[in-house]
Structures are given as structure tokens and as C-alpha cells.
Amino acid sequence: MKYLGTNLSPDEYYQRMASSYANPHEDGIRELLGHLKLHLTDSILDLGCGSGLATRIIGRAIGVDRSSEMIARYRAETGCEGFVANFWDRLPVASSAMAVYSLHLCPKSRFNDFRFRVRDAGIKRLVVIS
């Protein structure tokens, strides 16, 4: 599978690019989250957190990403907790979550599992920017 103009899979891409990845949508994300962050309350999960851009905009969150390299960068750049997990794995308990340019990485065949995990984690509000 080609990902972002490479011959790499998404997993390979983020493993190799973890130290230098810069989100190309940063300006738009800052603007949208500036409006939507009021809907994210109490404990917040940053699903597919990458380097932590969304967490830095919101100010606090718990990062979840399938790439251990990205979680290491997330922790270093945000100072927040981060966990290695897929969208369909058990998620940490939270009241809100955001998936910012990341939900496309959840295979359609696992989307119902993801929906279950969101409910199982107690998430009442989910902001998706894609």
C-alpha cells in the first residue's frame, strides 16, 4: 500500500518519519480546534496523536497512537501520557476524544470495533477532523 506519495505502508511511514514528521494541515487544524476545543471537556484522548499537534493546541490530552516511535515523540513534545494502541484496542477511560487527520487509518472492517471501544472508554464527545 502506498501512503502519502511513498511506497511505504502507514506503519512503515510513521516508523521512519517519526522524528521529522510535520503535519501539512497544521494551520487548518489550529483554526478548527480553536473553535471545537470548547466541546472537549475533562479527560481527553488524542486518537492517532502522532507528534502531539492537537494536544498542544488543546493544552492537555492522553495520546493514543499505533506507532511506538510517534508515542515517544508525543511524550517528549507534549509532556503528556501516551499509549501504543490501535483504534480498535481498549482505550483509556476519558470523557472526550479527538481524531485529527487520523481516523482514515482505521480499516473499515474494524470501524465497529472502534465505535465499541469509544463507548467502552466512556467517551461522550468525539471530535473528528478529516
Side-chain angles (χ1 to χ4, degrees):
M1 169 187 211
K2 292 183 177 186
Y3 189 69
L4 295 179
T6 70
N7 289 323
L8 303 172
S9 70
D11 288 338
E12 293 169 324
Y13 180 86
Y14 289 112
Q15 286 171 354
R16 289 187 188 181
M17 301 299 291
S19 64
S20 62
Y21 177 77
N23 194 311
H25 309 288
E26 182 171 346
D27 292 340
I29 291 168
R30 284 188 183 285
E31 183 175 340
L32 288 170
L33 280 180
H35 297 290
L36 297 171
K37 68 182 179 181
L38 298 174
H39 299 285
L40 298 167
T41 58
D42 301 322
S43 55
I44 303 167
L45 296 184
D46 185 348
L47 302 171
C49 62
S51 64
L53 171 62
T55 293
R56 288 190 303 277
I57 293 167
I58 295 296
R60 75 209 183 294
I62 300 167
V64 178
D65 200 291
R66 67 191 286 163
S67 167
S68 58
E69 292 83 2
M70 291 306 267
I71 286 294
R73 183 171 170 196
Y74 174 86
R75 289 177 180 150
E77 292 189 20
T78 66
C80 295
E81 267 187 281
F83 297 91
V84 176
N86 292 297
F87 289 109
W88 54 89
D89 293 337
R90 179 175 288 276
L91 298 171
V93 173
S95 58
S96 301
M98 56 186 167
V100 179
Y101 283 95
S102 61
L103 203 50
H104 67 282
L105 295 170
C106 182
K108 289 180 184 178
S109 63
R110 301 306 298 259
F111 198 75
N112 281 333
D113 297 328
F114 166 68
R115 286 181 21 190
F116 169 78
R117 290 302 184 188
V118 165
R119 275 190 243 138
D120 189 46
I123 295 166
K124 303 291 185 228
R125 294 179 182 196
L126 174 62
V127 168
V128 176
I129 298 175
S130 186

